[in-house]
Amino acid sequence: EMSTLIYPFLNPLLPLLLLTAFAYYFFSNKRRYVFLFSFVLFYFFSMSFPVRKLVQNREFQHLPLELSSLNYQDHYNIIVLGSGKNDDVRLSENLRLSQEVLSRLIEALKWCKRLPNFTLICSGPVGQGDKSQALLLKETAVMLGIDASRIQLLEDVHNTQSEAEQYVKFFNTETPIILCTSALHMTRAKAWFEHFGVRKIHPAPANYKAAQQPLTLQRFLPQWSSHKLWQSYLKERIGVLVIS
């Protein structure tokens, strides 16, 4: 995906540093204005309020899935999309998964417990480690009570596009799916599955990054975490444009 390739450049800190260095070198007689302009931009992108508002608007396009929207007797493929692991073999399966993918797995397990007919599909690449992220997800799910015979793996993947492509390659497009991924990522993920022919998609968002909170002074003070949130937000917006 194009959004994955440019992801490192979407953190506002890098463009701001490059802009400041460029302006400092070519406009040496106006350095005071250069630093003032850079400071204003840095302060804006460091505040959590504007980016959290944008992320919140994006995330709440997909509200939590309700049981009433599903047919209790139908068979569902419940898909957990990958989102990071570590390769420290001293740790147990669940401790090797990122917090983000654990949140997605918990959402998936909730539906495994509520529905009688399902296949749990765990997705995630091998990377450099001994086990794939998909296998770690499966082992964690089994540890939490899911029958291993009801779990399938997608391991030959490296991004959302390949996850959707591999799913369609190994599973039919007619079975309704419950798509478990982060709320901010849901629009792009759903678009890729639709792009490859899957039509019956029930979004089951997890890991809301910008849940509603009281407005406080802290939201207008600089926070390093805001830059990372901008990076994630811009990646999702650009990723959707790439699909369309």
Side-chain angles (χ1 to χ4, degrees):
E1 294 175 285
M2 185 67 68
S3 58
T4 301
L5 294 175
I6 67 173
Y7 183 64
F9 302 97
L10 298 180
N11 190 313
L13 276 178
L14 180 58
L16 282 174
L17 287 173
L18 293 175
L19 176 64
T20 302
F22 178 85
Y24 184 84
Y25 181 79
F26 288 101
F27 300 98
S28 57
N29 59 330
K30 296 182 179 179
R31 286 173 178 170
R32 180 189 308 173
Y33 301 106
V34 169
F35 285 120
L36 178 61
F37 181 67
S38 298
F39 175 79
V40 170
L41 285 179
F42 174 79
Y43 195 93
F44 173 79
F45 284 108
S46 297
M47 288 189 300
S48 69
F49 175 73
V51 68
R52 283 182 62 86
K53 190 65 176 176
L54 290 170
V55 169
Q56 187 178 101
N57 290 341
R58 194 73 173 176
E59 288 184 328
F60 280 89
Q61 291 177 10
H62 301 285
L63 295 174
L65 181 62
E66 297 289 343
L67 184 60
S68 58
S69 65
L70 304 174
N71 186 330
Y72 189 74
Q73 298 302 324
D74 282 353
H75 183 97
Y76 290 91
N77 286 338
I78 304 173
I79 308 172
V80 185
L81 299 187
S83 184
K85 68 179 177 78
N86 69 69
D87 294 312
D88 191 335
V89 296
R90 299 172 300 176
L91 302 179
S92 60
E93 296 81 1
N94 59 303
L95 297 178
R96 292 177 60 179
L97 294 168
S98 71
Q99 293 299 311
E100 187 145 357
V101 78
L102 277 173
S103 176
R104 300 175 183 187
L105 178 61
I106 290 171
E107 180 66 20
L109 296 182
K110 178 177 76 177
W111 295 107
C112 292
K113 297 293 186 180
R114 290 183 175 182
L115 298 170
N117 305 309
F118 69 88
T119 298
L120 177 62
I121 301 171
C122 298
S123 177
V126 175
Q128 302 300 316
D130 60 319
K131 294 181 179 180
S132 69
Q133 187 177 161
L135 181 56
L136 290 172
L137 281 166
K138 176 181 178 178
E139 291 175 343
T140 302
V142 170
M143 182 172 59
L144 295 174
I146 303 301
D147 187 340
S149 65
R150 305 187 76 172
I151 304 175
Q152 299 291 326
L153 304 182
L154 289 178
E155 297 176 294
D156 187 19
V157 297
H158 58 276
N159 58 22
T160 311
Q161 178 181 350
S162 63
E163 287 179 310
E165 191 172 13
Q166 288 297 308
Y167 171 79
V168 171
K169 180 179 178 180
F170 293 106
F171 301 92
N172 70 74
T173 59
E174 300 305 316
T175 301
I177 70 172
I178 295 176
L179 185 58
C180 299
T181 189
S182 302
L184 181 59
H185 180 235
M186 184 61 74
T187 297
R188 179 160 62 97
K190 184 171 180 286
W192 273 122
F193 277 84
E194 290 174 339
H195 176 80
F196 286 106
V198 182
R199 292 291 175 261
K200 300 176 183 178
I201 302 173
H202 299 276
N207 192 40
Y208 285 85
K209 298 179 185 295
Q212 191 168 4
Q213 294 177 347
L215 192 61
T216 63
L217 176 62
Q218 186 178 6
R219 301 276 292 278
F220 295 93
L221 297 177
Q223 298 179 29
W224 287 109
S225 58
S226 298
H227 300 127
K228 184 69 172 177
L229 197 54
W230 273 110
Q231 191 177 24
S232 299
Y233 172 76
L234 292 172
K235 178 184 178 181
E236 296 306 324
R237 293 305 303 263
I238 293 171
V240 171
L241 291 176
V242 169
I243 302 170
S244 58

